[in-house]
Amino acid sequence: MAMWQGAMDNRGFQQGSFNSFRSSSSDEDLMDIPGTAMDFSMRDDVPPLDGEIEEDKSYNGGGIGSSNRMMDFLEEPIPGVGTYDDFNTIDWVREKSRDRDRHREITNKSKESTWALIHSVSDAFSGWLLMLLIGLLSGSLAGLIDISAHWMTDLKEGICTEGFWFNHEHCCWNSDHVTFEDRDKCPEWNSWSQLIISTDEGAFAYIVNYFMYVLWALLFAFLAVSLVKVFAPYACGSGIPEIKTILSGFIIRGYLGKWTLIIKTITLVLAVSSGLSLGKEGPLVHVACCCGNILCHCFNKYRKNEAKRREVLSAAAAAGVSVAFGAPIGGVLFSLEEVSYYFPLKTLWRSFFAALVAAFTLRSINPFGNSRLVLFYVEFHTPWHLWELVPFILLGIFGGLWGALFIRTNIAWCRKRKTTQLGKYPVVEVLVVTAITAVLAFPNEYTRMSTSELISELFNDCGLLDSSKLCDYENRFNTSKGGELPDRPAGVGVYSAMWQLALTLILKIVITIFTFGMKIPSGLFIPSMAVGAIAGRLLGVGMEQLAYYHHDWAIFNSWCSQGADCITPGLYAMVGAAACLGGVTRMTVSLVVIMFELTGGLEYIVPLMAAAMTSKWVADALGREGIYDAHIRLNGYPFLEAKEEFAHKTLAMDVMKPRRNDPLLTVLTQDSMTVEDVETIISETTYSGFPVVVSRESQRLVGFVLRRDLIISIENARKKQDGVVSTSIIYFTEHSPPMPPYTPPTLKLRNILDLSPFTVTDLTPMEIVVDIFRKLGLRQCLVTHNGRLLGIITKKDVLKHIAQMANQDPDSILFN
C-alpha cells in the first residue's frame, strides 16, 4: 500500500524538538484553548481488540511486583490535547460529541445540589448574554467608525473653525448664515485654501484645495497600509472569504484576535477616509466576528469548543451586517445564506437577538444625525408600473455582466499580485492607487464625495427642497401636486450631472478592480452598489425624459398621462445597486431584504427580486463563483461549497491515498511500537494523523490518532513520568500484556485515540463521500476493503479531486 500524502503539512514541527508543537498563541488567537483535553477513553466493559487480558489480573506489565508501571498519565487533562494546529480543519463530529458530553454531565449534576442547578441555568443563559455583549460592542464600534470616517472624509476638504471635531454637516447645522441655495457653505467651515491663502476664489485656491485633498488621501492610505503591515497583516481585505472558511471549520490563528480588531477598526476609518473605491460594510462583518471571538474567551462553553464558537461567529456575522446596513433581518439572512456553514435553529434565534441589539445600539448612537441607521435612507412615494419590469430586468442583466467582469478581472489582478514582485511592495501599490484615485476624483464632485453620500444622492427622490444638480429640472417649482413633482423636462444641471455620472461610472468600474484585495481593509458592498446606482440613475432619468416627451407611446399612454409623476429615477438607482451587488456576491434573498430595509419600501420588493435574480442568472451563466468563493479558491483555503453538486462517477478508491505504486500507508500498531518508533515516524512525516491498526499483517483498524495529540502526550510523559524512555512500549489498548522483568514502563495512550473514525468501503461513490464530508464536517475518512484498512481520504484530497474534475489546478488547494 502507498503512503498517505494528502494530509496537511504540520509546519510547526522541527525534528528533534517537540516543544515547538506546544501552542504558543496568546488568548487573542482564534484557536487558543488551554486546558481543553477531553477524555475519549472507552469504558471498562469494552473488550480489547487484541491480546486480551483477564480483568482480575493484578499484573499490569513491567518487572516483578510492578503492578502499576503502565503509565496512563492522561487520566488528568493535558493542555493542548484535543486542540488543533494552525491552518488545519476541526473535527466537527468530535466537537459536537464533546459538547453533548459536557451538557449531559451538567444536566446530571444539576439534580444533585442547588449550586449545580444554578450552574446549569447560568450555562444555558450564557449564550444569550454573549449575544447581548456582541451586539453592544459591535454597534458601538460601528458607530465610532461611522462618525470618525465622516469627519476624516470632510477633513480632506477643510476644517471647522468652531471645533475641529465637527464634520462639514455638523459644523453648518447651527450657523445663522446658511442660505437655501448654498446650504453647504457657512462661515464656520473653511476650506484649506481659505486657511492657507485666505481666499476660496481663483485658480490658485483651486490648486491648493486639490493639493491638500491628494495629500490627505495619501497620508490616510499610508497610515492604513503601514499599520496593517506592521501590527496586523490579517486586518487587510474585507475578511468575508476568511470568515466563511473559518465558519466551515478551518483554523486561522490570530485572524479574529484583539490586535486584528484594534488595527482593523483604526485602519478601516483611514481607508474609507482616503477616498479609495472601497466600503466599510464588509470589514464590519470581520470586526463583529472579532468581537464575538474575543468575548468567547469569557465563557468556557465557547472557549473550549470550536463548533460552539462557530455558532457564535455566525451570529456575530449577522450583527456585523445589521450595523453595516441598518438591516437586522437582512443581517440574519446574510449569515444564513452567504457565510455560515452550520446554522441550527438555535443559532438563528441568537443571530436575530444579536442583530437586534447591535442595530439598537447603533440607533442610540445616531452616527448620521438623522435618527436613521443608515446614511442613505429614502422613501419613494410613486408606485411602479408593470412595464417598468423591462428596464429593471435590463439593470439585472447589467449587474450580472458587471459582476462576472469584476470577478474575472479582480481575480486575475490578485493572482498577478501573488505571483509577481508586485506583492512584495504593498505600501507602494496602495499609495499609487490612492494617488491615481485622488487625482482623478477631485475635479468631479460625484467622485470627490464619499461613496456613501453618492449613493444617498442617487437614491434620493427629487422634491421641492432639493438643490442637487440631479434635481435641476425646468419648471421645478411649477407643481399642482403639493410637495410632489410631476415628470418634467431636464434642465442644464441634470444634463451636466449625467455627463459627470457617466465619467464617475467608468472610474468606479476600473479603479475598484485594482482596489479590492490590497493590503488595507476594503469592502466591496458600497463600490458595487455605487456602480449599479449610477447606472440605474442614468437609466431612470432616461426613462423619465422618454415618458415626458413621448407620453403618447403605447408603452406609456395607458399609465403615464402628460404631467403625471410616473417615473422615479431614485428607484432605478436602488434596483441597479441591488443588481450589481447581487452580480458580484450572488446573494438573492438576503440582498432583497437588505435593500428594502434600507429604503423602507415594501412595495418595491418585486423589482428588487426581478433584478437580483436576473443578475444572478446572468452572472452564473458566465462563471459559477461569487467574489468571495473566488478569493477562497485563490488563497487555497479548504472550503467545501455546500451549494455545488458533485456529478462525477468516481469511487473512493480513485481518490484515496495511497495510490498504486505509492509508498505504503503509514500506520501505528496498537501494542508493538516503542516511543522511539513513534517519534521517528513523526520526524520523518508531515501527516496530520495516523491510523492505528492491530498489526501490520492484519491491517485491522483500531482507531485514529492525531499527530498533535501524540506529540503533546509523549512530551508530557517524558517530563512528568519517571522511567519513560525511548524503548518504552506505547499501548493503544485498554489492557497491556505481561512484560518481562526490568523492562522500562509502558505508555498508555488509549485516551487520545479516536475509537470511532468514519470509514467507507473502497467502492463507495465519491458523490456519497463528498456529501458525507459536507454534512458531517469531516477532516478525514478511512477507506476499508473487507474490513482491512486500505487507505485514507482527507478533506484536501476531496477538494483536489473536485478541482481536477472541474479542469482546475488541484495544487491550488494549499491547506487541509
Side-chain angles (χ1 to χ4, degrees):
M1 295 188 184
M3 185 178 293
W4 164 38
Q5 296 177 344
M8 167 62 190
D9 290 355
N10 192 322
R11 295 178 172 80
F13 181 75
Q14 299 293 331
Q15 186 171 349
S17 173
F18 285 75
N19 292 329
S20 59
F21 284 92
R22 300 302 299 269
S23 176
S24 61
S25 54
S26 65
D27 61 354
E28 73 175 293
D29 291 341
L30 173 66
M31 305 307 163
D32 180 36
I33 312 178
T36 59
M38 294 293 179
D39 187 0
F40 286 94
S41 63
M42 298 287 287
R43 298 295 181 261
D44 292 337
D45 58 354
V46 180
L49 288 172
D50 199 43
E52 287 85 351
I53 306 298
E54 295 296 326
E55 289 190 7
D56 57 351
K57 279 194 175 184
S58 61
Y59 188 86
N60 197 26
I64 299 174
S66 301
S67 60
N68 294 321
R69 298 189 68 203
M70 173 71 107
M71 296 297 181
D72 189 5
F73 64 92
L74 288 177
E75 292 177 356
E76 294 296 328
I78 300 175
V81 170
T83 60
Y84 304 94
D85 287 316
D86 199 7
F87 296 110
N88 269 259
T89 303
I90 71 169
D91 189 333
W92 283 89
V93 176
R94 182 170 73 166
E95 295 299 312
K96 296 303 292 183
S97 177
R98 286 178 175 180
D99 185 61
R100 283 193 296 269
D101 292 342
R102 183 198 62 82
H103 187 265
R104 192 180 298 115
E105 181 182 358
I106 291 176
T107 303
N108 292 336
K109 287 184 176 180
S110 66
K111 303 173 184 177
E112 299 175 359
S113 66
T114 304
W115 176 252
L117 178 62
I118 294 174
H119 178 258
S120 176
V121 173
S122 66
D123 181 78
F125 177 72
S126 62
W128 295 101
L129 177 60
L130 181 56
M131 294 301 109
L132 176 67
L133 296 176
I134 290 172
L136 291 172
L137 185 55
S138 301
S140 301
L141 288 177
L144 175 66
I145 290 171
D146 286 334
I147 294 171
S148 302
H150 198 177
W151 172 70
M152 294 180 69
T153 299
D154 288 346
L155 190 62
K156 298 201 303 289
E157 299 185 25
I159 196 168
C160 185
T161 54
E162 291 293 312
F164 71 91
W165 54 88
F166 289 125
N167 61 39
H168 193 170
E169 184 179 9
H170 290 175
C171 185
C172 295
W173 262 355
N174 297 323
S175 175
D176 297 328
H177 306 283
V178 178
T179 62
F180 175 77
E181 293 294 334
D182 295 323
R183 63 184 70 180
D184 292 331
K185 295 181 180 180
C186 61
E188 292 80 6
W189 179 262
N190 289 332
S191 67
W192 290 111
S193 62
Q194 288 176 303
L195 291 173
I196 296 172
I197 60 174
S198 302
T199 180
D200 203 23
E201 307 273 335
F204 187 62
Y206 181 84
I207 293 174
V208 170
N209 288 329
Y210 203 150
F211 175 77
M212 294 301 296
Y213 180 91
V214 175
L215 184 64
W216 278 111
L218 289 172
L219 176 62
F220 292 155
F222 176 75
L223 289 175
V225 69
S226 299
L227 289 172
V228 168
K229 182 179 179 181
V230 174
F231 295 103
Y234 284 151
C236 66
S238 74
I240 293 180
E242 286 76 13
I243 297 297
K244 286 187 68 172
T245 310
I246 289 172
L247 290 180
S248 73
F250 194 55
I251 307 253
I252 308 179
R253 293 188 186 275
Y255 196 83
L256 301 179
K258 58 177 179 289
W259 272 111
T260 304
L261 173 62
I262 294 170
I263 298 302
K264 186 120 189 177
T265 302
I266 296 172
T267 55
L268 181 56
V269 174
L270 292 167
V272 171
S273 304
S274 69
L276 286 166
S277 183
L278 50 82
K280 61 182 183 296
E281 282 65 24
L284 278 174
V285 176
H286 188 186
V287 168
C289 287
C290 287
C291 297
N293 177 65
I294 292 169
L295 290 171
C296 276
H297 288 283
C298 303
F299 302 86
N300 280 338
K301 178 166 73 171
Y302 299 102
R303 180 168 60 90
K304 295 183 177 182
N305 191 286
E306 299 301 335
K308 296 294 292 181
R309 191 192 297 231
R310 276 155 179 75
E311 294 179 20
V312 173
L313 296 180
S314 293
V321 176
S322 173
V323 294
F325 290 103
I329 301 174
V332 175
L333 292 176
F334 174 83
S335 180
L336 173 61
E337 179 184 3
E338 187 63 25
V339 299
S340 294
Y341 192 84
Y342 175 67
F343 202 85
L345 189 61
K346 179 170 60 177
T347 304
L348 177 68
W349 300 334
R350 290 181 175 173
S351 299
F352 184 79
F353 179 66
L356 171 68
V357 174
F360 175 78
T361 304
L362 185 64
R363 171 65 182 81
S364 301
I365 296 173
N366 193 19
F368 304 118
N370 58 2
S371 300
R372 302 291 187 184
L373 287 174
V374 289
L375 181 60
F376 37 91
Y377 186 97
V378 293
E379 291 179 325
F380 303 127
H381 306 286
T382 305
W384 62 279
H385 192 269
L386 186 63
W387 278 105
E388 290 184 280
L389 278 179
V390 175
F392 293 153
I393 290 174
L394 289 176
L395 287 173
I397 295 173
F398 172 79
L401 294 173
W402 147 250
L405 170 69
F406 175 81
I407 292 170
R408 290 194 178 187
T409 51
N410 179 253
I411 292 299
W413 179 252
C414 290
R415 184 175 289 111
K416 181 179 179 64
R417 181 188 293 124
K418 289 171 69 75
T419 57
T420 63
Q421 294 293 320
L422 179 64
K424 297 181 180 180
Y425 305 100
V427 177
V428 175
E429 181 190 9
V430 169
L431 291 179
V432 169
V433 174
T434 303
I436 294 173
T437 304
V439 169
L440 296 178
F442 186 83
N444 187 338
E445 64 177 289
Y446 293 112
T447 51
R448 185 166 65 244
M449 67 174 62
S450 71
T451 312
S452 295
E453 292 177 353
L454 172 62
I455 294 174
S456 177
E457 187 156 334
L458 294 170
F459 281 10
N460 186 40
D461 186 15
C462 289
L464 288 173
L465 299 179
D466 287 299
S467 59
S468 167
K469 287 201 298 185
L470 284 171
C471 299
D472 184 20
Y473 290 90
E474 297 179 7
N475 305 321
R476 57 180 300 203
F477 296 106
N478 182 16
T479 175
S480 58
K481 300 173 63 177
E484 297 182 13
L485 294 175
D487 285 347
R488 58 270 188 218
V492 175
V494 173
Y495 287 116
S496 174
M498 292 300 101
W499 280 108
Q500 288 180 296
L501 285 176
L503 294 174
T504 303
L505 178 63
I506 296 172
L507 177 62
K508 291 288 185 185
I509 287 176
V510 174
I511 206 68
T512 305
I513 293 170
F514 300 98
T515 303
F516 187 71
M518 293 195 304
K519 299 303 180 183
I520 54 173
S522 55
L524 192 58
F525 285 6
I526 288 296
S528 299
M529 290 176 64
V531 169
I534 294 169
R537 188 76 185 205
L538 292 172
L539 181 61
V541 172
M543 287 291 296
E544 181 188 48
Q545 296 305 302
L546 199 64
Y548 176 79
Y549 288 107
H550 303 283
H551 59 271
D552 54 341
W553 284 9
I555 59 173
F556 296 121
N557 61 14
S558 61
W559 58 281
C560 186
S561 58
Q562 186 174 10
D565 188 11
C566 307
I567 307 293
T568 305
L571 172 61
Y572 284 72
M574 184 182 74
V575 172
C580 283
L581 184 54
V584 171
T585 63
R586 310 300 163 85
M587 293 191 300
T588 51
V589 179
S590 57
L591 173 63
V592 172
V593 174
I594 288 172
M595 293 305 296
F596 85 70
E597 282 189 275
L598 287 180
T599 61
L602 288 174
E603 61 182 302
Y604 302 110
I605 288 181
V606 173
L608 290 171
M609 291 175 66
M613 283 308 304
T614 304
S615 68
K616 178 174 173 56
W617 286 335
V618 172
D620 282 347
L622 300 174
R624 298 291 296 176
E625 290 179 323
I627 185 63
Y628 301 129
D629 295 328
H631 274 271
I632 287 173
R633 186 164 60 85
L634 177 68
N635 293 323
Y637 296 140
F639 182 76
L640 197 54
E641 179 58 66
K643 302 171 187 174
E644 298 292 334
E645 295 292 332
F646 185 84
H648 304 283
K649 295 183 178 181
T650 50
L651 301 176
M653 62 186 299
D654 301 323
V655 181
M656 73 176 190
K657 300 291 181 65
R659 304 281 180 86
R660 187 173 299 175
N661 300 324
D662 282 352
L664 292 174
L665 183 70
T666 302
V667 297
L668 306 180
T669 57
Q670 68 172 0
D671 55 8
S672 62
M673 299 187 72
T674 65
V675 171
E676 184 179 18
D677 294 335
V678 174
E679 289 180 342
T680 300
I681 289 177
I682 292 172
S683 301
E684 295 177 351
T685 63
T686 56
Y687 309 143
S688 295
F690 306 94
V692 179
V693 296
V694 173
S695 65
R696 297 185 186 278
E697 294 75 22
S698 71
Q699 291 291 309
R700 183 180 166 196
L701 184 64
V702 178
F704 191 85
V705 62
L706 292 177
R707 173 194 188 92
R708 179 183 177 87
D709 291 352
L710 264 179
I711 292 168
I712 294 175
S713 301
I714 293 174
E715 180 191 24
N716 189 77
R718 284 187 179 277
K719 287 182 177 180
K720 297 185 178 180
Q721 302 296 334
D722 294 332
V724 174
V725 293
S726 297
T727 55
S728 298
I729 302 293
I730 293 180
Y731 280 92
F732 293 99
T733 58
E734 187 69 29
H735 308 276
S736 61
M739 300 294 293
Y742 308 112
T743 57
T746 56
L747 187 60
K748 182 179 176 183
L749 297 182
R750 187 177 179 86
N751 284 14
I752 66 170
L753 182 66
D754 181 4
L755 292 165
S756 56
F758 205 95
T759 60
V760 296
T761 66
D762 54 334
L763 298 179
T764 304
M766 275 305 295
E767 183 179 5
I768 295 177
V769 175
V770 171
D771 216 28
I772 290 171
F773 270 87
R774 281 174 177 159
K775 294 181 177 178
L776 294 182
L778 299 182
R779 301 180 74 197
Q780 67 275 321
C781 176
L782 301 177
V783 183
T784 61
H785 177 74
N786 294 336
R788 289 167 54 89
L789 178 64
L790 195 62
I792 187 169
I793 299 175
T794 66
K795 188 175 183 180
K796 184 177 181 180
D797 296 328
V798 172
L799 289 164
K800 282 191 169 186
H801 183 65
I802 292 174
Q804 194 171 16
M805 292 293 101
N807 295 320
Q808 297 171 354
D809 181 16
D811 293 329
S812 63
I813 309 300
L814 303 178
F815 307 107
N816 186 34

